Amino acid sequence: IGLLVLSGAVGQGRKLFRVGKPLEHAQTIWTSLLEEEGEVAVRAGKGLKALGYGGWLLLDMLQWLQTVKVINLNAESLSWINYY
């Protein structure tokens, strides 16, 4: 049982370090919009990829913050987050 508790604590600690990750993806989106070099399709693809990852991580972060009781979301918001 001690190993399971340790495993859970390590997993929660890793989630804590991912809290700022959506900001990295937002920065990637911003830089891809401001770039003037390269193909437009490549820059757009890079921005859309970062938008997808960042959005998913943002929802994951909100769900985790609700789980550890840092924020208190209403039932409607929580069901919307869990849906996506």
Side-chain angles (χ1 to χ4, degrees):
I1 255 193
L3 193 55
L4 290 175
V5 171
L6 177 64
S7 175
V10 168
Q12 292 300 320
R14 287 184 65 226
K15 286 266 191 182
L16 178 63
F17 285 111
R18 285 179 31 188
V19 167
K21 201 72 169 155
L23 296 175
E24 288 182 30
H25 291 291
Q27 183 180 14
T28 301
I29 294 168
W30 184 253
T31 56
S32 71
L33 288 173
L34 296 178
E35 279 180 359
E36 295 181 5
E37 300 174 1
E39 293 289 325
V40 174
V42 172
R43 291 188 325 220
K46 189 166 115 178
L48 288 173
K49 178 183 172 184
L51 180 65
Y53 282 146
W56 180 81
L57 286 171
L58 178 67
L59 293 177
D60 184 56
M61 176 188 62
L62 290 172
Q63 189 177 32
W64 178 75
L65 289 172
Q66 168 74 20
T67 301
V68 296
K69 310 248 187 281
V70 172
I71 60 173
N72 189 14
L73 298 171
N74 62 28
E76 182 181 343
S77 297
L78 192 58
S79 68
W80 187 85
I81 289 170
N82 288 333
Y83 177 76
Y84 292 102

